[in-house]
């Protein structure tokens, strides 16, 4: 099978959880990637964009610009918004959730950045001053699933 | 944002609640919690949440399932059943698979 040429899907959406859902549908329908990779891509993008809805815009609304590029070594994602900068100028560490002990004390939130960091590679966050009021630019890559292992299996 | 439908039936293993939606995500988490609360109100015994029709759960959906479990605790248990691979991944990555008993399929009617 020949390698697919690079393909970029660009979307501009209103920052609402409903539009995030529609955008994810467009991404998963448009990209010719293995299902397992698309699942990781969809989850990482859901977390990144819903963070923008909830935190950068604090439910005030705004726009999200999404660019997803399909490449031989995975899928490059870029999420831009004009909301508030990340506190401290960097994305949260996303420490793993504490799940032992009493069900009463189990966390029912705060998994978003842990998931983004677990699912992605080459994560980069930048805050741009231009154009006003400034932009958040988040980039990461979703690696292909066991690419080498798959190829070896086919060669046998 | 619309309501979410959850079908309820009784089995020897407990009340089986089947989520009739393809996604429990940020847009559906509140509707899921409301529907779940209505389904379990006044009931007793264990609850098995059948996720066989759910193809996608994000961190908001995961939080909603944890909230559902807390609604029942400590008197009633919440188990999960029939997780799609993408849903199973979310529970494994966050180690929530150690909190819930997860069954391959929903229990049959008695």
């Amino acid at each position: 099978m020949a390698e697919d040429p690079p393909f970029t899907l660009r979307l501009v959406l209103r920052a609402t959880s409903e539009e995030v859902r529609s955008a994810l549908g467009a991404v998963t329908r448009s990209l010719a990637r293995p299902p397992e990779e698309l699942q990781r891509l969809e989850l990482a993008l859901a977390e990144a964009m819903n963070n923008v809805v909830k935190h950068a815009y604090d439910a005030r609304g705004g726009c999200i610009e999404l660019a997803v590029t399909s490449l031989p070594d995975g899928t490059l994602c870029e999420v831009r918004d004009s909301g508030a900068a990340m506190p401290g100028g960097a994305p949260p560490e996303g420490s793993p959730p504490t799940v032992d002990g009493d069900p009463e004390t189990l966390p029912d939130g705060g998994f978003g950045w842990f998931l983004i960091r677990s699912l992605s590679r080459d994560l980069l966050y930048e805050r741009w001053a231009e154009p006003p009021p400034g932009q958040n630019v988040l980039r990461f890559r979703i690696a292909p699933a066991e690419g080498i292992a798959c190829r070896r299996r086919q060669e046998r | 944002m619309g309501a979410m439908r959850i079908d309820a039936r009784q089995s020897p293993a407990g009340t089986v609640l089947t989520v009739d939606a393809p996604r429990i995500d940020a847009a559906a988490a509140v509707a899921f919690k409301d529907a779940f609360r209505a389904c379990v109100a006044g009931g007793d015994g264990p609850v098995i949440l059948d996720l066989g029709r759910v193809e996608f759960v994000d961190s908001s959906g995961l939080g909603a399932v944890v909230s559902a479990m807390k609604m029942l605790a400590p008197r009633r248990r919440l188990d999960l059943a029939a997780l799609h691979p993408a849903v199973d991944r979310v529970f494994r990555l966050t180690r929530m698979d150690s909190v819930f008993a997860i069954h391959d399929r929903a229990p049959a009617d008695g």
Side-chain angles (χ1 to χ4, degrees), chain A residues 21 36 42 47 106 114, chain B residues 23 25 59 63 70 89 93:
Chain A
R21 182 194 275 185
E36 190 274 345
E42 182 174 14
E47 301 303 334
L106 265 183
F114 171 74
Chain B
R23 303 171 78 87
D25 59 9
S59 67
K70 289 178 167 185
R89 174 183 292 109
L93 278 174

Side-chain angles (χ1 to χ4, degrees), chain A residues 8 12 44 46-48 60 64 78 92 96 100 107 116 123 129 137 144 153 155:
Chain A
T8 298
V12 180
E47 301 303 334
R60 286 188 314 274
I64 299 174
E78 184 185 270
D100 16 279
I116 294 170
L123 185 97
V137 182
R153 231 172 284 140
E155 279 166 9

Side-chain angles (χ1 to χ4, degrees), chain A residues 41-118:
Chain A
L41 172 70
E42 182 174 14
L43 183 55
L45 280 177
E47 301 303 334
M49 292 195 285
N50 282 318
N51 277 337
V52 171
V53 174
K54 267 190 279 183
H55 302 299
Y57 288 123
D58 193 18
R60 286 188 314 274
C63 277
I64 299 174
E65 288 177 55
L66 175 67
V68 182
T69 304
S70 181
L71 293 169
D73 66 341
T75 314
L76 287 182
C77 301
E78 184 185 270
V79 177
R80 290 193 199 204
D81 67 81
S82 306
M86 297 269 186
E93 284 294 319
S95 33
T98 311
V99 296
D100 16 279
D102 193 351
E104 295 285 316
T105 63
L106 265 183
D108 56 8
F111 311 111
W113 272 102
F114 171 74
L115 287 172
I116 294 170
R117 290 191 183 275
S118 304

Side-chain angles (χ1 to χ4, degrees), chain B residues 7 22 33 35 48 53 62 65 88 91 93 99 109:
Chain B
D7 299 329
K33 280 192 272 189
I48 300 102
R53 296 174 199 164
L62 176 69
V65 173
D88 182 58
F91 281 86
L93 278 174
V99 172
D109 293 338

Side-chain angles (χ1 to χ4, degrees), chain A residues 22-44:
Chain A
S22 308
L24 293 171
V27 168
T28 53
R29 280 193 305 272
S30 306
L31 266 67
R33 310 292 302 191
E36 190 274 345
E37 188 183 325
L38 281 179
Q39 289 169 8
R40 286 181 287 126
L41 172 70
E42 182 174 14
L43 183 55

Side-chain angles (χ1 to χ4, degrees), chain B residues 7-62:
Chain B
D7 299 329
R9 65 179 168 87
Q10 292 301 323
S11 85
T15 306
V16 180
L17 299 182
T18 302
V19 177
D20 189 24
R23 303 171 78 87
I24 309 176
D25 59 9
V30 172
F32 167 77
K33 280 192 272 189
D34 290 347
F36 184 90
R37 187 178 293 110
C39 282
V40 300
D44 209 355
V47 175
I48 300 102
L49 187 66
D50 171 11
L51 295 175
R53 296 174 199 164
V54 177
E55 292 156 8
F56 182 79
V57 169
D58 64 10
S59 67
S60 302
L62 176 69

